[in-house]
Amino acid sequence: MTTLRFVLGDQLTRGVSSLRDLDLARDVVCLAEVHEEATYVPHHPQKIALFFSAMRHFADALRAEGATVDYLRLDDAHNPGGFTAALVAAVRRHGATRVVVTEPSEFRVRELADGWTSATGVPVELRDDDRFFCSHARFRRWAQGRKGLRMEFFYREMRRETGLLMEGDEPAGGQWNFDHDNRKRMPATLPVPHPPRFAPDAITREVLDLVAARYGHHFGALEPFAWPVTRADALRALDDFVTARLARFGDYQDAMRDDAPFGFHSLLAAAMNLGLLLPREVCDRAVDAWRQGLAPLNAVEGFVRQILGWREYVRGVYWLNMPGYAQGNALSARRPLPAAYWGAPTPMRCVARCVDDTRRNAYAHHIQRLMVTGNLALLAGVAPDEVERWYLAVYADALDWVELPNTHGMALYADGGVMASKPYAASGAYIARMSDYCAGCAFDPDEKLGPRACPFNVLYWAFLMENEAALAGNPRMAMPYKNLARFDPARRAAIAAQADDIRRTLLAP
Ligand code: FAD
Ligand code: DLZ
Ligand code: SF4
């Protein structure tokens, strides 16, 4: 009676539900590197290396504990290339009579898993993934009967339920949200500590060679590779963030500075999404830092809100609404993704900077993703599925359950307002206020029309004109539409013509 415990690449947690009752004497743990997962979108080479290296280190840690591990390497001669075939082969190899898996985090893989019992011929037990604060059932209960699913209200319930940053029944500091303190521009002279870099060990080196040979042609630089790939390294990354950057996380959460691609951000999403860190321990560390006086409340609340609030909320929205959620296109956006997203030269300084940060680091922080590349795709009317494939491919932390709602819902408003009460559309003024990008740009954020006009300014008004039928009735859009109503026909025509020109030239696919 052998039980095969199949662990997916984002389930690298010793306490994951599929391993909780692991019998070291009788069970086999199976992990599989497969070509299909490395290529269903052209993932950034650093992302593929991160997953493979973390999987190999996790397998070694299990072996050190005495577990029998069947690890399928990408370059093994008999590698069948996909999850289902790999699992079937492993069941046969070990004569397994039962398979245990923690439910896949992504809908695409969850659908595959539904076929695993018939494919393997043995019972496959799918267990809940209880590494999150909020179960699917809990989120459904919260969402039931609500007209809008506003994150802020969900977050408050999560605060009450977990006791995080609570003083009795009241939020610590008397407020749920300190966002108004968190919108500072970052002074040019403010020193920004660099996040720790984790030098590749022999296991990672071998993976880097493999990825260079097989996927080196994907968009993105493979090296320098500096991601934490073990739990011990991820804990060091957490420690470094809490001691060196958390205190300023709140103030500069929305700021973008040309020479500081990571700002005061944690870079912990990848480690959490792979399972090297648990969200609870990350939040606990941040709250402890506040209690010890090492970080102010606006920083700690802002950080906890991202994890306890946004991260749990987007997972809830995803599982509540899939598979239909991915199909929506509320603004009928159909244009192709501009080549600038894949690194084609562009005179738009902010776009060039965010794309190049992404190419070098498989990372861009939230405001770069939302207000530069996301905002541009929204204003330009790029088809949601093209944008989503890009975000899913290029970031080390990208997994469908978290990428899709952020892109489809938050950045593109393609869900028609399930996540955001209005589109995050912004002109160049926002980027000019929150960054130093405009200083080195060929365009001027103060110019509204003409050859020097910031393309975001032109596209912003064109976006409002094109989507008037869908958006003018939204009370939160009343102000921009009131301003648009003052534009005479000649001005509208000039905006439309210049927007067309920008799409044909600067935003060519
Ligand atoms: P920090 O700024 O340090 O924030 C702390 C943590 O909060 C993050 O590690 C993350 O776990 C969580 N968090 C913050 N914002 C969000 C959010 N909006 N949704 C979910 N979790 C959040 N995040 C992903 O993990 N994977 C993705 O594929 C992803 N795609 C995105 C696509 C778009 C268009 C946008 C606008 C956002 C996306 N995000 C995604 C959310 C967010 O941008 C990243 O989590 C964050 O930039 C990761 O960097 P960090 O770890 O330094 O985060
Ligand atoms: C992202 C990724 C990559 C690149 N490769 C693998 C892999 O070879 N094996 C694996 O188990 N998981 C991989 N992953 C993560 C999966 O694509 C997917 O996100 C998880 O299975 C959750 O659904
Ligand atoms: Fe970006 Fe416009 Fe500023 Fe140039 S002027 S960096 S395009 S916001």
Side-chain angles (χ1 to χ4, degrees):
M1 291 281 284
T2 300
T3 297
L4 192 83
R5 297 177 186 271
F6 191 30
V7 176
L8 302 171
D10 63 348
Q11 299 178 345
L12 309 181
T13 315
R14 180 58 185 87
V16 75
S17 56
S18 60
L19 294 180
R20 208 158 285 157
D21 51 346
L22 173 68
D23 183 337
L24 292 176
R26 290 148 56 123
D27 297 350
V28 175
V29 183
C30 174
L31 292 103
E33 294 170 7
V34 289
H35 181 68
E36 266 174 29
E37 293 306 307
T39 52
Y40 71 90
V41 292
H43 300 291
H44 194 298
Q46 281 184 43
K47 177 181 178 187
I48 303 176
L50 167 66
F51 273 85
F52 288 2
S53 177
M55 288 169 66
R56 290 184 186 195
H57 282 93
F58 186 70
D60 278 357
L62 288 172
R63 284 191 195 103
E65 204 190 302
T68 305
V69 181
D70 181 337
Y71 190 95
L72 182 70
R73 287 168 170 243
L74 188 84
D75 50 358
D76 281 346
H78 61 279
N79 190 320
F83 277 148
T84 303
L87 182 63
V88 169
V91 166
R92 296 221 175 104
R93 232 179 357 261
H94 299 285
T97 50
R98 162 179 181 252
V99 173
V100 176
V101 196
T102 293
E103 56 167 344
S105 65
E106 299 181 307
F107 190 82
R108 179 182 57 81
V109 184
R110 179 69 180 75
E111 277 199 312
L112 279 184
D114 286 339
W116 287 345
T117 295
S118 68
T120 58
V122 301
V124 175
E125 184 190 338
L126 277 185
R127 293 187 177 168
D128 288 351
D129 189 345
D130 54 13
R131 295 174 297 170
F132 293 85
F133 289 100
C134 180
S135 68
H136 298 322
R138 175 69 188 93
F139 192 83
R140 267 197 306 276
R141 261 204 328 280
W142 175 75
Q144 205 163 27
R146 278 172 196 271
K147 264 176 54 200
L149 301 183
R150 294 294 157 253
M151 196 290 290
E152 186 63 29
F153 299 120
F154 168 77
Y155 167 59
R156 290 179 191 181
E157 287 204 14
M158 289 294 106
R159 289 268 297 272
R160 286 197 186 93
E161 273 179 29
T162 58
L164 280 164
L165 289 177
M166 294 298 291
E167 278 158 2
D169 292 337
E170 295 302 314
Q175 268 171 246
W176 293 105
N177 183 319
F178 291 80
D179 233 7
H180 58 83
D181 296 339
N182 290 357
R183 303 215 169 105
K184 295 196 176 76
R185 194 185 154 100
M186 202 187 293
T189 50
L190 182 74
V192 182
H194 202 288
R197 310 185 68 84
F198 298 90
D201 63 4
I203 294 175
T204 304
R205 269 267 53 100
E206 202 180 347
V207 166
L208 291 173
D209 291 344
L210 175 69
V211 173
R214 298 287 288 272
Y215 307 115
H217 58 286
H218 289 187
F219 169 82
L222 177 58
E223 299 202 50
F225 179 95
W227 293 97
V229 292
T230 62
R231 174 158 169 79
D233 282 352
L235 283 168
R236 272 216 292 135
L238 170 60
D239 198 56
D240 181 86
F241 168 68
V242 169
T243 49
R245 300 192 304 286
L246 173 62
R248 293 213 146 110
F249 175 86
D251 286 354
Y252 302 116
Q253 198 178 339
D254 289 0
M256 298 177 278
R257 205 175 82 186
D258 204 58
D259 64 347
F262 308 111
F264 291 88
H265 292 270
S266 72
L267 274 76
L268 294 175
M272 271 187 279
N273 294 352
L274 268 77
L276 303 178
L277 293 175
L278 291 171
R280 175 88 217 195
E281 67 190 337
V282 174
C283 290
D284 283 345
R285 273 303 304 274
V287 173
D288 284 351
W290 169 63
R291 293 205 188 281
Q292 289 165 26
L294 301 173
L297 188 53
N298 73 305
V300 172
E301 187 282 315
F303 183 69
V304 166
R305 176 155 27 93
Q306 305 311 313
I307 297 173
L308 178 64
W310 281 110
R311 188 171 186 268
E312 297 289 322
Y313 167 82
V314 301
R315 178 175 182 260
V317 167
Y318 179 83
W319 281 103
L320 189 68
N321 294 295
M322 281 300 278
Y325 191 73
Q327 311 308 321
N329 189 356
L331 300 179
S332 305
R334 311 226 184 278
R335 295 194 177 87
L337 190 73
Y341 282 75
W342 297 114
T346 171
M348 298 174 74
R349 176 80 183 138
C350 53
V351 177
R353 168 49 60 219
C354 294
V355 170
D356 197 54
D357 285 352
T358 302
R359 183 191 64 77
R360 284 184 296 118
N361 304 321
Y363 180 87
H365 66 69
H366 186 68
I367 293 301
Q368 294 179 302
R369 297 185 204 195
L370 183 64
M371 299 310 292
V372 180
T373 45
N375 186 26
L376 182 64
L378 170 73
L379 299 184
V382 181
D385 57 342
E386 292 215 15
V387 188
E388 285 144 25
R389 280 176 63 78
W390 183 78
Y391 278 102
L392 195 51
V394 301
Y395 293 115
D397 54 47
L399 291 168
D400 198 51
W401 67 266
V402 54
E403 177 277 324
L404 183 75
N406 271 297
T407 308
H408 195 82
M410 198 188 304
L412 301 180
Y413 199 73
D415 64 6
V418 173
M419 271 187 66
S421 54
K422 71 176 183 65
Y424 273 90
S427 68
Y430 179 88
I431 297 171
R433 190 167 65 248
M434 294 313 300
S435 81
D436 60 358
Y437 296 151
C438 302
C441 186
F443 302 105
D444 183 341
D446 294 328
E447 296 277 334
K448 311 287 184 241
L449 262 178
R452 290 263 302 142
C454 167
F456 280 96
N457 293 344
V458 181
L459 291 170
Y460 175 75
W461 292 110
F463 169 83
L464 290 183
M465 291 182 334
E466 287 165 13
N467 294 291
E468 205 156 353
L471 299 176
N474 180 333
R476 297 206 58 208
M477 298 296 285
M479 186 59 93
Y481 276 105
K482 214 166 125 193
N483 291 333
L484 180 66
R486 295 198 195 103
F487 291 14
D488 62 27
R491 185 155 181 207
R492 281 177 171 250
I495 290 169
Q498 191 167 344
D500 276 352
D501 193 49
I502 288 169
R503 289 182 182 123
R504 261 188 300 104
T505 54
L506 287 177
L507 305 182

